[in-house]
Amino acid sequence: MALLICAVQLDSCRKTQYAFDKCMLEKLGIERPFVGYFSKVRVHHTNRPKPEVHVEMPEPLHKHPTYDPKDPVPEVTKKRASEFI
């Protein structure tokens, strides 16, 4: 039912739209753009060079610890692992 109501509402606007498009073409010489014209991706060509972006990165706060499989597993980790089992 809602689909039928939407279709009827659009049909009643089409008559006005056609009249508007005809007037714009006759008086101003402007044609209606195709569907999707305003959402089309556009690439602009220019002779201007691209701007250079230079961002200074801060020094790392600390080094990440390395993992050695031979190291013993800490007790805290063993305790926490037993909670999930």
Side-chain angles (χ1 to χ4, degrees), residues 15-34:
K15 294 177 188 174
T16 311
Q17 185 67 48
Y18 291 137
F20 177 75
D21 290 342
K22 183 179 176 185
C23 178
M24 291 292 289
L25 185 59
E26 289 176 358
K27 306 287 183 186
L28 300 174
I30 299 173
E31 293 185 13
R32 182 177 178 84
F34 60 89

Side-chain angles (χ1 to χ4, degrees), residues 27-67:
K27 306 287 183 186
L28 300 174
I30 299 173
E31 293 185 13
R32 182 177 178 84
F34 60 89
V35 176
Y37 173 79
F38 293 105
S39 62
K40 186 177 171 184
V41 175
R42 292 172 177 81
V43 177
H44 299 278
H45 298 284
T46 180
N47 294 333
R48 188 180 72 195
K50 288 184 177 181
E52 293 182 21
V53 180
H54 179 69
V55 179
E56 292 185 23
M57 299 299 291
E59 293 295 321
L61 298 177
H62 60 279
K63 291 186 177 183
H64 295 289
T66 56
Y67 173 72

